[in-house]
Amino acid sequence: MDLKGRLLANRYEILEKIGSGGMATVYKAKCHVLNRYVAIKILRDEFTTDEEFVKRFEVEAQSAASITHPNIVSVYDVGVDGNLHYIVMELVKGKTLKDIIVEEKGPLPWKWSVNIAIQIASALETAHKNHIIHRDIKPHNIIITEDGVAKVTDFGIARAASSNTISSNVMGSVHYSSPEQVRGGYSDEKSDIYSLGIT
C-alpha cells in the first residue's frame, strides 16, 4: 500500500518510504503544524486486527515518549488515523550500525566502537532509571548520525511484540537476545546489557 501524499491526523504529510521492519514501515513525513520533517512508523496491517497488541504498542510508545536523552530517538506523538496506527519520531540522518558493519566488511576501529558502546550504554542507563527496558538491542536498532552520535530507536516495541499472539519470527535476530528472552522468560535491565555486549 502506497501512502505517499497521505495526510495523517490532518497534520503529517507522508513524503516517502525510508525503511521497513518486521512490524512496521517507516516513512519520512512533514509535520504541517510545527513545519518540520519527522519519521513516522506505521504498524503493518496484519497487526492492527490484534487489539491486545495494538493496546500494548500504544502504551509502550507512550512510555518511550517520556524519555529524553541525546542518544535516544525522540518520540513526538502516537496516534491512529482510520486503520493506521502510528508513532511520530525524530527524523535522524545517518546509517544503522548494521549497515556500517556490513560496509566495513571487517572489524570497526576499537576507539570508535568503544565511543559508540558508551553512548548506547548511557541511553540504556536513562531508560532503565525510568523503568523502561528496550528488549531488542541490536545493530539494526542503532542509528549513527553523520556527526557520529549513536541514537537508539524502537524502545518498547519489543515488549508489545512479546505478546503470545505475535509469532516469534517477527522479532528478528535472536542472535542478540539474552538466554532468558530466547526461552520466553522474564526479561529485565540485564537482558539489555547482555544484548549490548553481543552488539
Side-chain angles (χ1 to χ4, degrees):
M1 171 172 54
D2 186 21
L3 296 174
K4 190 175 176 180
R6 172 98 180 247
L7 194 64
L8 289 183
N10 217 20
R11 126 174 229 184
Y12 304 110
E13 180 188 355
I14 295 179
L15 303 175
E16 62 179 309
K17 180 178 167 180
I18 53 176
S20 64
M23 292 171 11
T25 305
V26 185
Y27 296 90
K28 178 180 178 180
K30 184 168 187 182
C31 171
H32 287 286
V33 173
L34 297 175
N35 197 28
R36 66 178 173 186
Y37 293 103
V38 295
I40 296 190
K41 183 164 282 202
I42 298 178
L43 202 55
R44 288 186 181 278
D45 284 348
E46 59 262 38
F47 301 118
T48 57
T49 54
D50 184 334
E51 285 179 35
E52 184 193 348
F53 177 77
V54 167
K55 199 156 86 179
R56 290 176 82 163
F57 176 80
E58 289 170 358
V59 166
E60 291 299 324
Q62 285 163 358
S63 68
S66 69
I67 348 176
T68 306
H69 189 277
N71 299 116
I72 295 174
V73 173
S74 298
V75 174
Y76 299 141
D77 195 7
V78 184
V80 183
D81 186 319
N83 63 338
L84 300 177
H85 296 261
Y86 62 86
I87 300 176
V88 181
M89 302 172 295
E90 164 189 10
L91 181 65
V92 179
K93 285 184 180 170
K95 295 179 182 175
T96 66
L97 184 54
K98 176 185 182 272
D99 290 340
I100 291 170
I101 292 168
V102 169
E103 282 170 18
E104 288 295 315
K105 296 184 177 70
L108 298 169
W110 74 266
K111 283 186 180 175
W112 185 90
S113 300
V114 167
N115 176 32
I116 295 299
I118 289 169
Q119 292 182 56
I120 300 165
S122 176
L124 290 175
E125 180 183 34
T126 296
H128 294 165
K129 281 180 179 171
N130 287 281
H131 312 293
I132 295 170
I133 301 163
H134 190 286
R135 292 179 175 85
D136 197 22
I137 290 292
K138 58 186 179 185
H140 318 57
N141 285 338
I142 295 152
I143 301 170
I144 310 299
T145 70
E146 294 163 347
D147 301 327
V149 176
K151 294 263 192 182
V152 181
T153 189
D154 275 3
F155 260 93
I157 290 180
R159 181 165 181 182
S162 66
S163 158
N164 307 342
T165 51
I166 301 300
S167 62
S168 57
N169 66 349
V170 167
M171 283 320 297
S173 311
V174 291
H175 313 319
Y176 302 96
S177 300
S178 65
E180 64 272 16
Q181 283 175 288
V182 174
R183 286 194 303 266
Y186 176 77
S187 57
D188 61 11
E189 291 86 352
K190 293 187 288 296
S191 308
D192 280 350
I193 303 301
Y194 179 96
S195 297
L196 172 57
I198 299 292
T199 300

